[in-house]
Protein backbone atom coordinates (compact mmCIF):
# COMPACT_ATOMS: atom_id res chain seq x y z
CA UNK A 1 0.00 0.00 0.00
CA UNK A 2 1.18 3.56 -0.77
CA UNK A 3 2.50 5.73 1.99
CA UNK A 4 1.73 9.44 1.85
CA UNK A 5 5.12 10.49 3.18
CA UNK A 6 4.94 13.97 1.68
CA UNK A 7 1.61 15.74 1.38
CA UNK A 8 1.39 19.13 -0.33
CA UNK A 9 -1.69 21.33 -0.26
CA UNK A 10 -2.83 24.32 -2.32
CA UNK A 11 -5.13 25.99 0.19
CA UNK A 12 -7.63 27.73 -2.08
CA UNK A 13 -11.08 29.18 -1.46
CA UNK A 14 -10.63 31.47 1.54
CA UNK A 15 -12.08 34.51 -0.26
CA UNK A 16 -15.12 32.63 -1.57
CA UNK A 17 -15.75 31.11 1.85
CA UNK A 18 -15.84 34.61 3.36
CA UNK A 19 -18.16 35.91 0.63
CA UNK A 20 -20.52 32.96 1.18
CA UNK A 21 -20.66 33.90 4.86
CA UNK A 22 -21.15 37.62 4.10
CA UNK A 23 -17.79 38.48 5.52
CA UNK A 24 -14.74 40.32 4.22
CA UNK A 25 -12.21 38.18 2.28
CA UNK A 26 -9.66 38.46 5.08
CA UNK A 27 -12.01 36.63 7.46
CA UNK A 28 -11.60 33.64 5.15
CA UNK A 29 -7.83 33.83 5.59
CA UNK A 30 -8.27 34.01 9.37
CA UNK A 31 -10.42 30.90 9.37
CA UNK A 32 -7.92 29.33 6.91
CA UNK A 33 -5.14 29.76 9.48
CA UNK A 34 -7.18 27.72 11.99
CA UNK A 35 -7.46 24.91 9.44
CA UNK A 36 -3.67 25.04 8.93
CA UNK A 37 -3.30 24.23 12.61
CA UNK A 38 -5.95 21.47 12.58
CA UNK A 39 -4.46 19.74 9.53
CA UNK A 40 -0.91 20.03 10.84
CA UNK A 41 -1.89 18.44 14.16
CA UNK A 42 -3.70 15.65 12.33
CA UNK A 43 -0.58 14.97 10.23
CA UNK A 44 1.52 14.73 13.41
CA UNK A 45 -0.57 11.74 14.44
CA UNK A 46 -0.26 9.89 11.11
CA UNK A 47 2.82 7.68 11.19
CA UNK A 48 3.17 7.66 7.39
CA UNK A 49 3.26 11.43 6.99
CA UNK A 50 6.73 12.89 7.37
CA UNK A 51 6.28 16.18 5.57
CA UNK A 52 3.42 18.62 5.00
CA UNK A 53 4.01 21.48 2.57
CA UNK A 54 1.39 24.24 2.47
CA UNK A 55 1.10 27.00 -0.17
CA UNK A 56 0.64 30.06 2.04
CA UNK A 57 1.81 32.93 -0.23
CA UNK A 58 2.86 32.68 -3.87
CA UNK A 59 5.20 34.88 -5.90
CA UNK A 60 2.03 35.91 -7.78
CA UNK A 61 0.04 36.83 -4.65
CA UNK A 62 1.75 40.25 -4.54
CA UNK A 63 -0.70 41.23 -7.31
CA UNK A 64 -3.55 41.26 -4.75
CA UNK A 65 -4.79 44.52 -3.20
CA UNK A 66 -2.21 45.97 -0.80
CA UNK A 67 -4.57 45.69 2.17
CA UNK A 68 -5.06 41.95 1.59
CA UNK A 69 -1.31 41.37 1.18
CA UNK A 70 -0.64 43.32 4.38
CA UNK A 71 -3.30 41.33 6.20
CA UNK A 72 -1.78 38.03 5.06
CA UNK A 73 1.67 39.15 6.23
CA UNK A 74 0.32 40.15 9.67
CA UNK A 75 -1.70 36.94 9.94
CA UNK A 76 1.37 34.86 9.16
CA UNK A 77 3.50 36.68 11.71
CA UNK A 78 0.77 36.38 14.36
CA UNK A 79 0.34 32.68 13.57
CA UNK A 80 4.04 31.88 13.83
CA UNK A 81 4.47 33.80 17.09
CA UNK A 82 1.37 32.25 18.67
CA UNK A 83 2.01 28.70 17.48
CA UNK A 84 5.74 28.45 18.25
CA UNK A 85 4.85 26.58 21.45
CA UNK A 86 2.61 24.19 19.45
CA UNK A 87 5.46 23.42 17.04
CA UNK A 88 7.72 22.55 19.97
CA UNK A 89 5.04 20.68 21.95
CA UNK A 90 4.25 18.44 18.97
CA UNK A 91 7.89 18.06 17.86
CA UNK A 92 7.17 19.76 14.50
CA UNK A 93 10.10 21.12 12.53
CA UNK A 94 9.27 24.33 10.64
CA UNK A 95 10.95 24.73 7.25
CA UNK A 96 9.95 27.69 5.10
CA UNK A 97 10.44 27.49 1.33
CA UNK A 98 10.44 30.45 -1.05
CA UNK A 99 12.28 33.75 -1.19
CA UNK A 100 11.51 35.36 2.15
CA UNK A 101 13.98 38.21 1.53
CA UNK A 102 11.07 40.22 0.07
CA UNK A 103 9.27 40.26 3.43
CA UNK A 104 9.57 42.88 6.17
CA UNK A 105 12.53 42.49 8.52
CA UNK A 106 10.16 41.80 11.40
CA UNK A 107 8.45 38.93 9.53
CA UNK A 108 11.80 37.51 8.38
CA UNK A 109 12.98 37.59 12.01
CA UNK A 110 9.85 35.75 13.15
CA UNK A 111 10.20 33.11 10.41
CA UNK A 112 13.88 32.54 11.24
CA UNK A 113 13.13 32.38 14.96
CA UNK A 114 10.55 29.57 14.51
CA UNK A 115 12.96 27.79 12.16
CA UNK A 116 15.81 28.00 14.70
CA UNK A 117 13.68 27.08 17.72
CA UNK A 118 12.28 23.99 15.97
CA UNK A 119 15.53 22.89 14.27
CA UNK A 120 15.93 20.09 16.84
CA UNK A 121 12.41 18.70 16.30
CA UNK A 122 12.41 15.36 14.51
CA UNK A 123 8.71 14.68 14.05
CA UNK A 124 6.58 16.07 11.22
CA UNK A 125 8.22 18.71 9.00
CA UNK A 126 5.75 21.48 8.28
CA UNK A 127 6.91 23.53 5.37
CA UNK A 128 5.17 26.80 4.52
CA UNK A 129 5.65 28.07 0.98
CA UNK A 130 6.22 31.79 1.46
CA UNK A 131 6.76 34.08 -1.52
CA UNK A 132 7.16 30.79 -3.30
CA UNK A 133 6.80 29.93 -6.98
CA UNK A 134 8.29 26.91 -8.74
CA UNK A 135 9.71 29.04 -11.56
CA UNK A 136 11.45 31.34 -9.10
CA UNK A 137 12.71 28.34 -7.10
CA UNK A 138 14.14 26.70 -10.23
CA UNK A 139 15.76 29.91 -11.47
CA UNK A 140 17.40 30.50 -8.10
CA UNK A 141 18.61 26.87 -8.07
CA UNK A 142 20.05 27.09 -11.60
CA UNK A 143 21.79 30.38 -10.81
CA UNK A 144 23.28 28.77 -7.68
CA UNK A 145 24.64 25.91 -9.81
CA UNK A 146 25.96 28.25 -12.52
CA UNK A 147 29.37 28.61 -10.91
CA UNK A 148 29.92 24.83 -10.75
CA UNK A 149 31.97 23.27 -13.58
CA UNK A 150 30.28 19.84 -13.70
CA UNK A 151 27.09 19.16 -15.67
CA UNK A 152 23.89 19.70 -13.73
CA UNK A 153 22.24 16.36 -12.89
CA UNK A 154 18.76 15.57 -11.63
CA UNK A 155 20.26 15.04 -8.17
CA UNK A 156 22.25 18.30 -8.08
CA UNK A 157 19.30 20.35 -9.34
CA UNK A 158 16.94 18.70 -6.87
CA UNK A 159 19.38 19.41 -4.07
CA UNK A 160 19.63 23.08 -5.02
CA UNK A 161 15.85 23.58 -4.80
CA UNK A 162 14.21 24.96 -1.65
CA UNK A 163 12.11 21.79 -1.40
CA UNK A 164 14.27 18.73 -2.05
CA UNK A 165 11.55 16.14 -1.53
CA UNK A 166 9.23 14.47 -4.03
CA UNK A 167 5.54 14.94 -3.30
CA UNK A 168 3.42 11.80 -2.93
CA UNK A 169 0.00 13.39 -2.61
CA UNK A 170 -0.95 16.87 -3.80
CA UNK A 171 -4.33 18.29 -2.84
CA UNK A 172 -5.95 21.48 -4.10
CA UNK A 173 -9.08 22.74 -2.38
CA UNK A 174 -11.46 25.30 -3.88
CA UNK A 175 -12.56 23.59 -7.09
CA UNK A 176 -9.89 24.66 -9.60
CA UNK A 177 -7.81 22.10 -11.46
CA UNK A 178 -4.40 23.69 -11.74
CA UNK A 179 -1.02 23.68 -10.02
CA UNK A 180 -0.49 27.46 -9.92
CA UNK A 181 3.32 27.29 -9.96
CA UNK A 182 3.48 25.04 -6.86
CA UNK A 183 6.13 22.30 -6.49
CA UNK A 184 6.19 21.57 -10.24
CA UNK A 185 9.51 19.66 -10.15
CA UNK A 186 8.70 17.81 -6.94
CA UNK A 187 5.21 16.74 -8.10
CA UNK A 188 6.37 14.89 -11.24
CA UNK A 189 4.81 11.67 -9.92
CA UNK A 190 2.48 13.03 -7.26
CA UNK A 191 -1.09 11.79 -7.11
CA UNK A 192 -3.33 14.81 -7.64
CA UNK A 193 -6.60 15.40 -5.79
CA UNK A 194 -8.69 18.43 -6.78
CA UNK A 195 -11.61 18.89 -4.42
CA UNK A 196 -14.45 21.40 -4.33
CA UNK A 197 -14.32 22.04 -0.57
CA UNK A 198 -13.17 25.58 0.21
CA UNK A 199 -10.06 25.59 2.40
CA UNK A 200 -11.81 27.02 5.51
CA UNK A 201 -14.24 24.06 5.33
CA UNK A 202 -11.51 21.44 4.88
CA UNK A 203 -11.08 19.05 7.78
CA UNK A 204 -8.96 16.18 9.03
CA UNK A 205 -11.91 13.83 8.24
CA UNK A 206 -11.78 14.84 4.58
CA UNK A 207 -7.99 14.45 4.52
CA UNK A 208 -8.40 10.99 6.07
CA UNK A 209 -10.76 10.01 3.22
CA UNK A 210 -8.34 11.31 0.57
CA UNK A 211 -5.46 9.36 2.14
CA UNK A 212 -7.60 6.21 2.12
CA UNK A 213 -8.18 6.64 -1.65
CA UNK A 214 -4.50 7.50 -2.23
CA UNK A 215 -3.40 4.29 -0.51
CA UNK A 216 -5.33 2.19 -3.05
CA UNK A 217 -3.89 3.85 -6.17
CA UNK A 218 -1.50 1.76 -8.22
CA UNK A 219 1.58 3.97 -8.53
CA UNK A 220 3.80 2.74 -11.36
CA UNK A 221 6.22 5.66 -11.80
CA UNK A 222 6.33 4.98 -15.53
CA UNK A 223 7.10 1.27 -15.17
CA UNK A 224 4.82 -1.71 -15.83
CA UNK A 225 3.20 -3.76 -13.09
C1 LIG B 1 -6.10 31.20 -1.42
O1 LIG B 1 -7.46 31.56 -1.21
C2 LIG B 1 -5.35 31.38 -0.22
C3 LIG B 1 -4.25 32.17 -0.07
C4 LIG B 1 -3.71 33.00 -1.17
C5 LIG B 1 -3.56 32.31 1.18
C6 LIG B 1 -3.47 31.09 2.03
C7 LIG B 1 -3.47 31.54 3.43
C8 LIG B 1 -4.05 30.89 4.46
C9 LIG B 1 -4.66 29.55 4.35
C10 LIG B 1 -4.14 31.48 5.80
C11 LIG B 1 -2.86 31.92 6.40
C12 LIG B 1 -1.87 30.84 6.52
C13 LIG B 1 -1.06 30.68 7.57
C14 LIG B 1 -0.04 29.65 7.55
C15 LIG B 1 -1.17 31.50 8.77
P1 LIG B 1 -8.08 32.73 -2.06
O2 LIG B 1 -7.98 33.98 -1.29
O3 LIG B 1 -7.45 32.79 -3.42
O4 LIG B 1 -9.57 32.26 -2.20
P2 LIG B 1 -10.56 32.53 -3.41
O5 LIG B 1 -10.04 31.72 -4.58
O6 LIG B 1 -11.87 32.02 -2.90
O7 LIG B 1 -10.55 33.99 -3.66
Amino acid sequence: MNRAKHIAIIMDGNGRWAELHNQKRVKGHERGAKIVKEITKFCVECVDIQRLTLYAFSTENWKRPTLEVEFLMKLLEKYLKKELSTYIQFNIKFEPIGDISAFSSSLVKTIKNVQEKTAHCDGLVQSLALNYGSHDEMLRAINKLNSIDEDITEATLSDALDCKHNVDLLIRTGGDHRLSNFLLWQSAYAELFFIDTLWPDFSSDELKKIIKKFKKIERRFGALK
Side-chain angles (χ1 to χ4, degrees):
M1 224 175 313
N2 301 317
R3 292 176 63 208
K5 286 189 264 182
H6 184 186
I7 297 181
I9 309 182
I10 301 173
M11 309 181 285
D12 197 15
N14 292 349
R16 278 165 288 159
W17 182 91
E19 278 158 29
L20 273 171
H21 290 80
N22 293 317
Q23 293 182 31
K24 293 199 173 130
R25 287 181 56 81
V26 293
K27 287 285 169 194
H29 296 315
E30 248 171 30
R31 162 98 183 179
K34 291 201 171 89
I35 308 302
V36 167
K37 183 171 174 180
E38 178 191 329
I39 295 302
T40 303
K41 280 172 78 177
F42 169 78
C43 290
V44 166
E45 282 154 26
C46 296
V47 278
D48 279 355
I49 306 172
Q50 298 168 356
R51 186 171 285 271
L52 173 69
T53 304
L54 302 169
Y55 210 2
F57 193 85
S58 76
T59 44
E60 287 73 35
N61 284 151
W62 296 105
K63 293 177 199 158
R64 294 189 174 211
T66 315
L67 280 178
E68 184 169 341
V69 170
E70 280 173 5
F71 185 90
L72 281 167
M73 298 295 139
K74 281 198 190 118
L75 181 63
L76 179 64
E77 190 159 356
K78 208 166 104 185
Y79 180 90
L80 290 172
K81 281 182 175 161
K82 182 163 175 272
E83 300 304 337
L84 174 59
S85 56
T86 312
Y87 283 96
I88 294 166
Q89 184 191 349
F90 290 93
N91 195 24
I92 302 165
K93 183 185 279 194
F94 171 68
E95 272 184 8
I97 56 167
D99 179 9
I100 61 166
S101 67
F103 292 156
S104 71
S105 56
S106 155
L107 180 53
V108 171
K109 206 172 137 196
T110 304
I111 292 168
K112 289 196 169 150
N113 183 48
V114 179
Q115 199 177 0
E116 278 162 26
K117 298 260 166 63
T118 63
H120 67 283
C121 295
D122 59 2
L124 178 79
V125 179
Q126 187 224 49
S127 192
L128 291 185
L130 303 170
N131 191 26
Y132 174 88
S134 275
H135 287 186
D136 179 63
E137 178 191 39
M138 286 187 214
L139 282 174
R140 284 186 286 106
I142 293 163
N143 282 324
K144 248 191 266 173
L145 295 170
N146 238 348
S147 54
I148 300 171
D149 280 340
E150 297 112 64
D151 285 348
I152 296 173
T153 64
E154 194 167 324
T156 52
L157 179 55
S158 179
D159 199 50
L161 294 172
D162 300 344
C163 174
K164 307 169 199 337
H165 310 272
N166 286 333
V167 174
D168 297 300
L169 169 58
L170 187 142
I171 301 164
R172 181 182 186 129
T173 61
D176 286 328
H177 294 210
R178 55 174 172 261
L179 295 176
S180 301
N181 203 10
F182 186 46
L183 300 176
L184 301 181
W185 172 275
Q186 298 86 344
S187 296
Y189 273 98
E191 300 300 331
L192 310 179
F193 282 71
F194 297 101
I195 58 168
D196 289 335
T197 308
L198 304 173
W199 175 252
D201 286 329
F202 193 60
S203 64
S204 44
D205 277 347
E206 193 162 7
L207 178 54
K208 227 185 266 177
K209 285 182 193 143
I210 292 173
I211 293 172
K212 207 170 159 195
K213 283 190 197 158
F214 163 84
K215 282 186 171 170
K216 291 185 189 145
I217 295 171
E218 188 185 18
R219 300 185 80 196
R220 293 188 297 276
F221 300 95
L224 299 179
K225 271 277 162 168

